[in-house]
Amino acid sequence: MRPTAKDLAEAAGVSLATVDRVLNDRPNVSKKAFRKVNDAIERIGFVRNPAAVALARNKTYRFRFVLPLSGDQYLSELIGCVTEARNALRADSTEVEAVQIPMADPHHVAKYLSLIDHETVDGVAVMAPESPQVRDALVRLVERGVRVVQFLSGQERLESADYVGIDNVAAGATAGKIAGRFIGNRAGKIMVVAETMMALDSIERRLGFDGIINAQFPQLQCLPSLETYADEKRAELIIHRTLQHNPDTLAVYVLSSEARAPLTAVWNAQGSRQLTVIAHERTPFSERALMEERIDALIAQDPGHAVRSALRILRARADHREPLASQERIRIEILLKENLQLQSG
Amino acid sequence: MRPTAKDLAEAAGVSLATVDRVLNDRPNVSKKAFRKVNDAIERIGFVRNPAAVALARNKTYRFRFVLPLSGDQYLSELIGCVTEARNALRADSTEVEAVQIPMADPHHVAKYLSLIDHETVDGVAVMAPESPQVRDALVRLVERGVRVVQFLSGQERLESADYVGIDNVAAGATAGKIAGRFIGNRAGKIMVVAETMMALDSIERRLGFDGIINAQFPQLQCLPSLETYADEKRAELIIHRTLQHNPDTLAVYVLSSEARAPLTAVWNAQGSRQLTVIAHERTPFSERALMEERIDALIAQDPGHAVRSALRILRARADHREPLASQERIRIEILLKENLQLQSG
DNA sequence: ATGATATTGAGGTGCGCACCTCAATGCAAG
DNA sequence: CTTGCATTGAGGTGCGCACCTCAATATCAT
């Protein structure tokens, strides 16, 4: 039989009360007792029964995803994943919610975060653009006893918070390698489009992309990043113009998770030209375009995995446990038409 | 507050005993009572507290991985993942073990499986080559009340068992697409190497590979599959000969998870020739070769994910729950040097 | 030695459920 | 009506632990 706390007390030569004090970091424990209990734990291989702990604590965990307010398809996917996780975790006394707030003004975001405390919520996963105000607000959030996960967002990594998401430099490099090898040995230009180059993740992806292209594909030249500012008209205009001025464009790389506007513009303007198209993230739009071979490859991070990973980490932190690193690394996926694996089949 | 079984009994207008009978499929429940309880469950949104259930049942789950006896690096990785999962699940009253048995003789495998019953183990994940004997043994295992997962192996899919692993036809197609696009528009041949073409997964991968090459890259021609029979000398010989006879070979595709012998032979024989190399599975060997740019791409399925997935499914089945499909789909990963994401960094 | 404080033990309660027993009720066939 | 059986309810116990109280003892400085 598996040893219980009672066995542990016996083995350690102390009372159940002392075992309880040691196991739950309660005060008034002598160093000697502490050692006796920990030695006994090693000796008899005691492991707390999580079910019994959960039942006795009878605590409900409350976690919140703080996401940008946007009509982005990737964001919709993400919200869908949160909803799914919410339903799956309802059984485990875990309340999960997603809120969307405008991210344009860092002060507003910081203000929002400053109103959260551990009375309201045990942990938050925050997806917000880099800014000193937000970073500060996150640090203070941690200080107030709320677990924080930096979630899929181009922020400077905090010491005191966990990060869930991919390495964007590596993601850009991956895109670069795929683009370079897919293009073959023709010489020409690559058009790079982003919503904005103010975002850290765009900057990092571009950095990784350029690094690979410059080092390994000297016959290719990356054009300056085009910024759509999430404006369809503007996207249409600048992309059309760029394609006209650069007839030797061989490929398009869309940095941002929303590829719809840029790619629609590209397809309207490309004429009979063959373009290798690389974009980020799997959405209904990009999935369909991949199936129709209008996109050649997607660089993606699985939103479902990201959500579950964030929740597992928050849960582990709330229980003062170390998250299992090997399970929580989000992969940089390369999606082709062939390995898309649609749900239906 | 979250409703408990007591609340449910009250809401249904029955006693706790009847609620218990309905919830645990016990006999002697009238249709009327059954309906009353289920209606009340819907109405008040009752969800069983899994922690309380686990505690009250006080049951330990015993799952076993049945794997081939082989020095294969991928298998070592797999065993490592099982060990990791074993330690992680020890806390949850779940015993996980891995046994390795010789798979050469289907009768022997079937014999081994026939000795397993639900007294010994609650579920098994079996990785064994396709054969009618094994298939039969698995079906009978299920009939004896043992949950079965067909694990990462090229077996005909059973109705009565779950499957964990990738679609090998799609994996082959993915390899084909990567090979074709990486080669560019040069014309030439592709060498295909397998340990044996008797294995269903090799056949399926080859099928997917040829399908893509023939349909999308007519300038490329796939050579007949070379079979190494896991014999280094033989591999060396046939690969050397094939490369000599086919000076216009542009790429090598290794179908099996053990790429070491074939690729070593290729590197010994390739001379100054540039070859695009595609292989399967991430192992210390293939990882290193990818970093050194001796392999261009790996098609992989994450063994850690596969192990965890198999265990989650076995656990769900043992609890008469439906596994969460969306989480259990094993992805066909494309690994390049750029998205390898080594553990160290 | 004395008081103050730190440490320990004994014991109880409850978390939500599974599983068991036994008596009580219902219902049908004879 | 009685016998037999199916159904239901009341009640208890225990799973392993967290959390609490109170009294008893140990340890320290003075």
Side-chain angles (χ1 to χ4, degrees):
Chain A
M1 248 348 244
R2 176 174 163 167
T4 70
K6 198 174 150 192
D7 302 328
L8 177 57
E10 207 165 308
V14 300
S15 70
L16 263 173
T18 300
V19 164
D20 173 66
R21 291 186 181 102
V22 173
L23 288 182
N24 297 296
D25 291 316
R26 287 186 226 285
N28 295 329
V29 179
S30 67
K31 288 194 191 77
K32 200 173 68 179
F34 184 83
R35 220 171 346 91
K36 280 206 286 188
V37 171
N38 281 310
D39 287 354
I41 288 178
E42 286 298 314
R43 188 147 37 79
I44 68 174
F46 172 79
V47 183
R48 275 224 277 276
N49 183 331
V53 173
L55 187 58
R57 288 218 178 100
N58 200 22
K59 165 182 171 53
T60 67
Y61 299 83
R62 293 153 309 169
F63 301 130
R64 180 183 298 174
F65 284 82
V66 178
L67 306 173
L69 189 58
S70 132
D72 201 312
Q73 278 196 347
Y74 185 63
L75 222 71
S76 307
E77 295 283 305
L78 214 46
I79 304 252
C81 294
V82 173
T83 306
E84 200 175 317
R86 171 211 195 82
N87 293 332
L89 289 182
R90 221 165 36 118
D92 292 312
S93 304
T94 305
E95 291 169 9
V96 178
E97 60 178 342
V99 303
Q100 295 188 272
I101 62 173
M103 294 286 177
D105 178 9
H107 291 93
H108 179 260
V109 179
K111 181 81 184 299
Y112 174 85
L113 293 177
S114 75
L115 295 178
I116 299 178
D117 69 338
H118 70 280
E119 297 293 315
T120 330
V121 143
D122 297 294
V124 289
V126 180
M127 179 175 179
E130 164 68 11
S131 90
Q133 289 85 9
V134 173
R135 207 184 318 144
D136 261 35
L138 289 180
V139 171
R140 279 201 294 271
L141 203 50
V142 173
E143 288 168 356
R144 255 177 285 135
V146 178
R147 323 287 160 179
V148 171
V149 164
Q150 296 179 281
F151 189 64
L152 300 186
S153 60
Q155 280 184 2
E156 210 166 88
R157 310 279 177 91
L158 261 46
E159 269 296 324
S160 48
D162 290 289
Y163 174 76
V164 168
I166 56 177
D167 172 348
N168 279 307
V169 178
T174 305
K177 182 66 153 284
I178 289 280
R181 297 229 41 174
F182 275 21
I183 289 170
N185 40 22
R186 289 170 292 160
K189 295 182 180 138
I190 302 177
M191 185 166 78
V192 180
V193 190
E195 218 171 276
T196 163
M197 289 306 288
M198 300 288 284
L200 190 54
D201 38 9
S202 291
I203 297 172
E204 289 175 343
R205 287 176 183 175
R206 170 93 215 206
L207 193 69
F209 190 81
D210 286 7
I212 292 290
I213 297 292
N214 293 338
Q216 299 183 22
F217 305 97
Q219 78 280 11
L220 298 176
Q221 185 205 335
C222 298
L223 295 171
S225 305
L226 299 180
E227 298 179 77
T228 66
Y229 302 137
D231 175 343
E232 285 193 35
K233 285 240 166 37
R234 181 183 156 86
E236 196 78 41
L237 185 73
I238 58 181
I239 287 170
H240 191 91
R241 200 169 53 199
T242 305
L243 280 177
Q244 250 183 348
H245 288 177
N246 300 278
D248 56 342
T249 301
L250 297 174
V252 179
Y253 174 39
V254 182
L255 285 171
S256 353
S257 67
E258 183 56 63
R260 191 171 204 151
L263 286 185
T264 307
V266 167
W267 295 330
N268 286 338
Q270 77 181 118
S272 64
R273 207 176 330 203
Q274 286 280 5
L275 289 176
T276 295
V277 176
I278 316 283
H280 278 275
E281 308 313 348
R282 177 181 189 155
T283 64
F285 168 79
S286 67
E287 192 175 277
R288 175 145 183 226
L290 197 59
M291 288 311 291
E292 292 171 348
E293 299 178 324
R294 300 153 74 90
I295 290 180
D296 293 88
L298 286 175
I299 311 301
Q301 47 191 341
D302 186 325
H305 189 171
V307 166
R308 289 188 293 269
S309 185
L311 289 171
R312 277 193 299 265
I313 290 176
L314 288 174
R315 174 64 188 265
R317 294 294 182 201
D319 291 342
H320 305 284
R321 277 173 19 235
E322 204 58 29
L324 212 66
S326 64
Q327 193 176 353
E328 309 307 354
R329 203 181 58 247
I330 308 284
R331 287 184 283 277
I332 301 175
E333 296 179 31
I334 302 171
L335 296 179
L336 308 180
K337 182 183 177 184
E338 284 70 23
N339 69 336
L340 243 192
Q341 301 177 284
L342 299 173
Q343 321 293 356
S344 49
Chain B
M1 248 346 245
R2 177 175 162 167
T4 71
K6 198 174 151 193
D7 302 329
L8 177 57
E10 207 165 308
V14 299
S15 71
L16 262 173
T18 299
V19 163
D20 174 65
R21 291 186 182 101
V22 173
L23 288 182
N24 297 297
D25 290 316
R26 286 185 226 286
N28 295 330
V29 179
S30 67
K31 290 193 189 78
K32 200 174 69 180
F34 184 83
R35 219 170 347 90
K36 280 205 287 187
V37 172
N38 281 309
D39 287 354
I41 288 178
E42 286 299 313
R43 188 147 37 79
I44 69 174
F46 172 78
V47 183
R48 274 224 277 275
N49 183 331
V53 173
L55 186 58
R57 287 219 178 100
N58 200 21
K59 165 180 171 52
T60 66
Y61 298 84
R62 293 153 310 167
F63 301 130
R64 180 182 299 172
F65 284 82
V66 179
L67 306 173
L69 189 58
S70 133
D72 201 311
Q73 278 196 347
Y74 184 63
L75 221 71
S76 307
E77 295 283 305
L78 215 46
I79 304 253
C81 294
V82 173
T83 307
E84 200 175 317
R86 171 210 194 81
N87 294 332
L89 288 182
R90 222 164 37 118
D92 292 312
S93 303
T94 304
E95 292 169 9
V96 178
E97 61 178 341
V99 302
Q100 294 188 273
I101 63 172
M103 294 287 178
D105 178 9
H107 291 94
H108 179 261
V109 179
K111 180 82 184 298
Y112 174 85
L113 294 176
S114 74
L115 294 177
I116 300 178
D117 69 338
H118 69 280
E119 296 294 314
T120 332
V121 141
D122 297 294
V124 289
V126 181
M127 178 175 179
E130 164 68 9
S131 92
Q133 289 85 10
V134 173
R135 208 185 316 144
D136 261 34
L138 289 180
V139 171
R140 279 202 294 273
L141 203 50
V142 172
E143 287 168 356
R144 255 177 286 136
V146 178
R147 323 285 160 181
V148 171
V149 165
Q150 296 179 280
F151 188 64
L152 300 187
S153 61
Q155 280 184 2
E156 212 166 84
R157 309 279 177 90
L158 262 45
E159 268 296 323
S160 48
D162 290 288
Y163 173 77
V164 168
I166 57 176
D167 173 348
N168 280 306
V169 178
T174 305
K177 183 64 154 283
I178 289 281
R181 297 228 44 173
F182 274 22
I183 290 170
N185 40 22
R186 288 170 294 161
K189 296 182 180 139
I190 302 178
M191 186 165 77
V192 180
V193 190
E195 220 170 275
T196 164
M197 289 306 288
M198 301 287 285
L200 190 55
D201 38 10
S202 290
I203 298 172
E204 290 176 342
R205 286 175 183 176
R206 169 93 214 207
L207 193 69
F209 189 81
D210 286 6
I212 292 290
I213 296 292
N214 293 337
Q216 299 183 22
F217 305 97
Q219 78 281 10
L220 298 176
Q221 186 205 335
C222 299
L223 295 171
S225 305
L226 300 180
E227 298 179 75
T228 65
Y229 302 138
D231 175 344
E232 283 193 35
K233 286 240 168 38
R234 181 184 158 86
E236 195 78 40
L237 185 73
I238 58 181
I239 286 171
H240 191 90
R241 201 169 51 198
T242 305
L243 280 177
Q244 252 184 347
H245 289 178
N246 299 279
D248 56 342
T249 301
L250 297 174
V252 180
Y253 174 39
V254 182
L255 285 172
S256 354
S257 65
E258 183 56 64
R260 189 170 206 153
L263 286 185
T264 308
V266 166
W267 295 330
N268 287 337
Q270 77 182 117
S272 65
R273 223 182 307 213
Q274 285 281 2
L275 290 175
T276 295
V277 177
I278 315 284
H280 279 275
E281 308 314 346
R282 178 181 189 156
T283 64
F285 168 79
S286 67
E287 191 176 277
R288 175 145 183 227
L290 197 59
M291 288 312 290
E292 292 171 348
E293 298 179 326
R294 299 153 75 89
I295 290 180
D296 292 87
L298 286 175
I299 312 300
Q301 47 191 340
D302 185 325
H305 188 171
V307 166
R308 289 188 294 268
S309 185
L311 289 171
R312 276 193 299 263
I313 289 177
L314 288 174
R315 174 62 187 267
R317 294 296 181 198
D319 291 342
H320 305 283
R321 277 173 19 236
E322 205 57 30
L324 212 65
S326 63
Q327 193 176 353
E328 309 308 353
R329 204 182 55 248
I330 308 284
R331 286 183 284 276
I332 301 175
E333 295 179 31
I334 302 171
L335 296 179
L336 308 180
K337 183 183 177 184
E338 284 69 25
N339 70 335
L340 243 193
Q341 302 177 282
L342 299 173
Q343 321 293 356
S344 49

